[in-house]
């Protein structure tokens, strides 16, 4: 007999449509690695490596609202590391105020971090975020920055996409971050506060290429609908991706908030780039047939040890999270490999972070 926790996890997995496929090529398509915000076209919100979070939730696809201040010139890795450390110190200075006044469950802020251009980042849950609120938060950040000797601090405001749940004892169920808090007890509110104060653990991955856009997903229902759309595209392209797996070029093909393709790390950089372009063309063609333009796909590099370690166990794959830490081998016979409780949980962590108080 299944334990209650196992039943719950499997139900969540099926409900939110996180699937893994044996991971193909066809005509040419115009590739577009741009963000949803036209004036910030250098950002790909499909590539989560663009952001690092100091506290709050881990966002899966950001949409920029606006930017304040002037970004620094960061030419070397040392300069970037020093600037990141400075902004993390700044985040610690303002954390208590942000968490108690502006951050969920008291306000609309969900994440605090930095992006690859050196902007301090504040992300909101979807809603009516007005200019006055952003001005107020910017003043808080700017005043603290000036005390540290930083003038005209660069800050990016945006919406994030979150798929994180926590078990709250007061209501005896799993709770989606962003839900209404009116009926929560003080103890449950405190639990949410403590989660939001934590430093966000970032997944480790090596991005080969990031194409397309993750749309602005406003609530739980839109997120579920979007993941289901991607699952249909993955189903339709599965047969064309499988030959790449049989040749050992692709290790894993998965569906979450974006489509994910893991490429064999032993391939040369040129081969990885060519493979990503070729496979994206195939996926993009099918997505357009299903009225999804600029479909989001991330291509990541997978170590060779991941292939050897799977030992033909794709039918019980310990599939990775959205950071793609787990690996699969190819299979001619399986359309959707089965996976046990541990594999399911690992897969869920890409689109979900399940927390227990």
């Amino acid at each position: 007999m299944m334990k209650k926790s196992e039943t719950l996890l499997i139900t969540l997995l099926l409900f939110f449509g996180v699937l893994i496929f044996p991971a193909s090529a066809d005509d040419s398509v115009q590739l577009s690695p741009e963000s949803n915000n036209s004036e910030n076209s250098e950002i790909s919100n499909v590539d989560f490596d663009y952001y690092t979070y100091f506290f709050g939730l881990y966002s899966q696809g950001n949409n920029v609202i606006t930017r304040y201040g002037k970004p620094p010139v960061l030419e070397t890795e040392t300069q970037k590391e020093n600037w990141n450390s400075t902004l993390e110190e700044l985040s610690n200075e303002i954390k208590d105020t942000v968490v108690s006044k502006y951050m969920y469950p008291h306000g609309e802020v969900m994440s605090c971090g930095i992006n690859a251009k050196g902007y301090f980042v504040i992300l909101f849950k979807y809603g009516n975020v007005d200019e006055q609120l952003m001005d107020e938060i910017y003043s808080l950040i700017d005043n603290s920055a000036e005390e540290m000797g930083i003038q005209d601090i660069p800050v990016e405001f945006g919406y994030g996409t979150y798929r994180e749940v926590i078990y709250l004892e007061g209501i005896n169920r799993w709770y989606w971050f962003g839900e209404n808090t009116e009926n929560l007890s003080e103890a449950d509110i405190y639990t949410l506060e403590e989660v939001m104060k934590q430093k966000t653990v970032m997944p480790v991955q090596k991005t080969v290429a990031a194409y397309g856009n993750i749309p602005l997903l406003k609530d739980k229902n839109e997120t579920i609908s979007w993941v289901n759309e991607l699952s249909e595209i993955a189903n339709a392209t599965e047969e064309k991706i499988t030959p790449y797996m049989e040749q050992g070029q692709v290790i894993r093909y998965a569906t979450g908030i974006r489509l994910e393709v893991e490429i064999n790390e032993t391939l040369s950089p040129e081969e990885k780039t060519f493979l990503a372009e070729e496979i994206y063309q195939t996926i993009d063609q099918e997505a357009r047939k299903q009225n999804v333009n600029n479909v989001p796909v991330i291509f990541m590099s997978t170590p060779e040890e991941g292939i050897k370690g799977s030992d033909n166990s794709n039918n019980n794959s310990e599939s990775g999270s959205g950071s793609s830490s787990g690996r699969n081998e190819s299979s001619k016979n399986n359309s959707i490999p089965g996976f046990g409780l541990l594999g399911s949980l690992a897969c869920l962590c890409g689109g979900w972070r399940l927390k227990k108080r």
Side-chain angles (χ1 to χ4, degrees):
M1 174 181 278
M2 275 190 184
K3 295 180 181 178
K4 183 179 178 181
S5 60
E6 293 179 347
T7 304
L8 175 60
L9 286 171
I10 292 172
T11 301
L12 281 170
L13 181 67
L14 294 175
F15 184 61
F16 290 99
V18 184
L19 304 176
I20 297 178
F21 301 83
S24 75
D26 247 58
D27 311 318
S28 60
V29 177
Q30 186 67 33
L31 304 183
S32 178
E34 297 184 352
S35 78
N36 290 359
N37 190 305
S38 59
E39 65 180 7
N40 296 288
S41 59
E42 79 276 10
I43 304 172
S44 170
N45 71 351
V46 180
D47 184 1
F48 303 162
D49 286 349
Y50 187 82
Y51 291 88
T52 301
Y53 302 103
F54 299 139
F55 59 91
L57 302 185
Y58 172 63
S59 173
Q60 300 182 38
N62 299 351
N63 292 266
V64 177
I65 299 173
T66 190
R67 286 169 165 175
Y68 291 57
K70 184 178 180 180
V73 177
L74 304 172
E75 297 178 341
T76 68
E77 286 304 314
T78 300
Q79 288 175 332
K80 291 178 182 178
E81 290 173 6
N82 290 340
W83 180 249
N84 288 0
S85 296
T86 299
L87 291 194
E88 185 162 16
E89 181 183 344
L90 173 60
S91 77
N92 290 329
E93 292 295 322
I94 66 171
K95 178 190 284 189
D96 288 343
T97 303
V98 171
V99 170
S100 63
K101 187 175 181 180
Y102 300 108
M103 184 165 258
Y104 184 82
H106 303 292
E108 304 300 309
V109 174
M110 303 295 281
S111 300
C112 175
I114 185 175
N115 70 21
K117 293 292 183 182
Y119 280 84
F120 195 89
V121 174
I122 296 291
L123 296 180
F124 301 99
K125 71 174 183 177
Y126 181 79
N128 296 319
V129 177
D130 58 31
E131 187 173 351
Q132 182 178 348
L133 174 60
M134 290 187 287
D135 287 344
E136 186 177 328
I137 295 175
Y138 182 77
S139 293
L140 167 69
I141 299 170
D142 191 43
N143 290 337
S144 294
E146 287 182 353
E147 292 177 4
M148 296 172 60
I150 304 170
Q151 303 297 321
D152 203 18
I153 182 75
V155 179
E156 175 184 294
F157 292 96
Y159 293 115
T161 298
Y162 314 98
R163 301 171 69 199
E164 186 163 349
V165 295
I166 185 171
Y167 188 82
L168 294 180
E169 296 176 357
I171 56 177
N172 193 30
R173 69 173 176 85
W174 292 89
Y175 178 89
W176 174 298
F177 276 82
E179 284 187 56
N180 189 295
T181 60
E182 286 182 3
N183 298 320
L184 296 184
S185 66
E186 289 186 11
D188 286 336
I189 292 290
Y190 176 78
T191 299
L192 296 178
E193 289 175 350
E194 290 304 300
V195 170
M196 301 305 273
K197 290 179 184 178
Q198 294 174 10
K199 182 173 177 60
T200 303
V201 178
M202 302 295 291
V204 178
Q205 64 187 46
K206 296 180 181 178
T207 300
V208 175
Y211 298 122
N213 296 324
I214 298 169
L216 177 57
L217 302 171
K218 301 174 183 177
D219 55 32
K220 178 169 61 176
N221 292 332
E222 286 196 8
T223 300
I224 295 169
S225 176
W226 171 247
V227 171
N228 286 338
E229 281 189 72
L230 290 185
S231 297
E232 291 178 8
I233 294 168
N235 272 315
T237 53
E238 174 197 349
E239 188 175 336
K240 292 182 179 180
I241 303 298
T242 299
Y244 292 98
M245 296 193 74
E246 293 172 342
Q247 295 169 32
Q249 296 170 302
V250 171
I251 310 307
R252 177 175 172 267
Y253 182 31
T255 303
I257 205 76
R258 60 188 175 176
L259 291 173
E260 300 176 0
V261 180
E262 293 185 24
I263 296 176
N264 190 333
E265 191 173 72
T266 60
L267 300 179
S268 69
E270 294 76 18
E271 288 174 311
K272 291 175 185 175
T273 300
F274 178 80
L275 197 62
E277 291 176 353
E278 190 172 66
I279 292 176
Y280 185 77
Q281 290 165 6
T282 296
I283 297 173
D284 187 62
Q285 283 182 337
E286 179 57 40
R288 290 173 186 274
K289 292 178 185 177
Q290 300 191 31
N291 297 317
V292 176
N293 294 319
N294 220 5
V295 60
V297 184
I298 185 83
F299 292 85
M300 296 170 286
S301 184
T302 297
E304 190 174 16
E305 306 86 72
I307 311 170
K308 295 176 181 177
S310 60
D311 192 28
N312 278 324
S313 60
N314 56 298
N315 282 333
N316 291 288
S317 83
E318 292 184 14
S319 50
S321 69
S323 60
S324 303
S325 55
R327 316 296 166 213
N328 282 348
E329 279 194 344
S330 62
S331 170
K332 297 180 181 179
N333 301 320
N334 295 346
S335 59
I336 303 178
F339 34 81
L341 178 62
L342 291 178
S344 301
L345 178 57
C347 184
L348 274 167
C349 288
W352 284 83
R353 291 171 63 194
L354 301 175
K355 293 178 177 290
K356 181 110 183 198
R357 183 181 173 192

